Amino acid sequence: MGCCCSTSKRTGTPGYEEPTVLASQTPCEYHDPSLNVTVSEVEALHELYKKLSNSIIEDNLIHREEFQLALFRNKNKKNLFADRIFDLFDLKRNGVIEFGEFVRSLGVFHPNAPLEDKITFAFRLYDLRQTGFIERGELKEMVLALLHESDLELSDDMIESIVDKTFSDADINGDGKIDQDEWKAFVSKHPSLIKNMTLPYLKDITLAFPSFVVRTEIEESDM
Amino acid sequence: MEQKGGVLMQKYELGRLLGQGNFAKVYHARNLITGTSVAIKVFDKEKILKVGLVNQIKREVSVMRLIKHRRVVELYEVMASKTKIYFVMELAKGGELFNKVLKGRLEVNAARKYFQQLISAVDYCHSRGVCHRDLKPENILLDENENLMVSDFGLSALVESKRQDGLLHTTCGTPAYVAPEVINRKGYDGVKADIWSCGVILFVLLAGHLPFHDSNLMELYRKILKGKFKFPKWFAPDVRRLLSRILDPNPKTRISIAKIMKCSWFKVGLENPDITATENQELATLDADGIFEACENDGPPIAESKHELTKPCNLNAFAIISFSTGVDLSGMFQKTVSMKEMRFMSKKPASSIIFKLEEICKRLSLKVRKKDGGLLKMEGSKEGRKGTLGVDAEIFEITPHLHMVELRKSNGDTMEYQKLFTQDIRPALQGIVWTWLGEQPQQDQQHHEVVQEEHQPSHTA
């Protein structure tokens, strides 16, 4: 299982990778081999992936519109955060989420994935301009985006004071931006901030998208 | 046949063989990660493929995922290898209930307890649109505390396939538990058919033998179709009345579960429902999730005791943006928006929000159990499917003039909560809500329905 030299047997699916290989390469496994995603879980994710990646363009790749359709039931709905998540999932930065990218990125959202990974992912998500820091301007932009998303209009003074208050708590060294360490400290004080980095659905994914097709070599215990 | 020491998917260590049916073998197994014991049902893939029911089984598995009741054996995981399909399930440590009956009929109170538990499990599943269709002794198990657990709920495809094989009829004669309309093989209502089987099971518990019995299969069918059976002389009038209403060969006039639950024989001993224990567990896990961290009121304590409430927690900017629907990936996994937590913004001061919530409680006869740091714990007055409903409302301060309120279920049956929320709580809040967070415009939701196929479990086969 998980042999390193396996060649993809399925050529029909671009971006399709051997579930056994992926199963041993999800983020969870890097930290603790006992928490790895099983082959069955990867197979189940493939069932889900097939559905999402063919919802608009039937090419087995998740395009931005398909991602928006899945999240918002509306392919044209733009959202700053969804855009950021799409970009983070699109590891190769080629404008689509391939199956391998899908499985690896979702691994962070597994209830058993290390907290550290979730904290880092959230940091990268909020570091809009990828400078290695969450800047004050970025935080304000995100608050505005959230308010806009919910049709809330607040006075600029009010928004400024919300952002100021948060910055005075999180920006420990007072340099006007939040670095990784400050972010970690802030999250450990407010663990609910990364609640959205966990998807309980991944726990029973094999029930939500059962797949009885096995394309891989799995050892058989003969029963 | 017995095999030990095999490890499945690097996750489960297989133990002894627990049972064997036509379609599957059941093994004891241990989850190597958590150490918990489970039962693994192993199906021969080829057989399943041959009867062409893969899609139906998949559909049923994904419906079963939503069934969580302590009297129903939980399905944890489904796996497949080249030749086998594995169902990882909760282990019922007490074995089959009918091993008890083999030693002789049960006392009325013991039989009643099992029947109550059976009805509560069946009622819960029916409320989720899931029927069993094959309730029979092998599927009625016990946990380590001698409480009943129903297995194989919602997996009727595997039942049907047994029939296609013709195996069910030849093996152990279990049509004894099957309702007349099922024998007739007309389209039938799975709800009513399950009620019939529950009646047969109750009869067997009390009598120690089957109500319908004949060594000739055709003769047995005839008896079932006519609903012809005799009560043993020790059956009291009240239970006779109940059983005649359940074992009514006409599914249209057969008693409903709601009526069974209202009947006086059934209600004896129910004042102390055994539900509370799990619900407490459920609560504990919820708390462990840390829905919101304990409130840190680092500011100076407010010098007023007019309100019984302490100041609500502050909500920082990152907490606000974490509620964005754009970060909520759950839409990929489910068709309907879940109502685990609902949040709204309000421009009213905390005291008015609390006043409004208390007013709603009074009207809906909910008790306010606890108030603390902006958290209101409310509780229903009636026993529901999974205990009394508990609703938490938590108020967070964003600025003194802007609050966010989060409402969530803390206890009880999700469907009952959703009904209460949409029909009563939400409309009543109108006066204080500025806007609900994370709401999708209506027309957008419909668009999605076209894309993702719907599967509604139906009662009729």
Side-chain angles (χ1 to χ4, degrees), chain B residues 204-223:
Chain B
V204 172
L205 293 176
L206 288 165
H209 61 82
L210 286 163
F212 307 102
H213 184 65
D214 206 292
S215 51
N216 179 318
L217 196 62
M218 288 323 288
E219 196 54 31
L220 172 62
Y221 282 159
R222 209 182 54 78
K223 284 181 179 167

Side-chain angles (χ1 to χ4, degrees), chain A residues 38-45 205-206 211, chain B residues 9 77-80:
Chain A
T38 65
V39 177
S40 292
E41 283 172 330
V42 177
E43 290 287 358
L45 283 176
I205 190 81
T206 67
S211 163
Chain B
M9 307 279 168
E77 190 175 353
V78 172
M79 309 186 293

Side-chain angles (χ1 to χ4, degrees), chain B residues 21-34:
Chain B
N22 298 316
F23 249 76
K25 286 177 189 171
V26 185
Y27 290 87
H28 184 280
R30 204 170 59 89
N31 182 326
L32 291 170
I33 301 162
T34 61

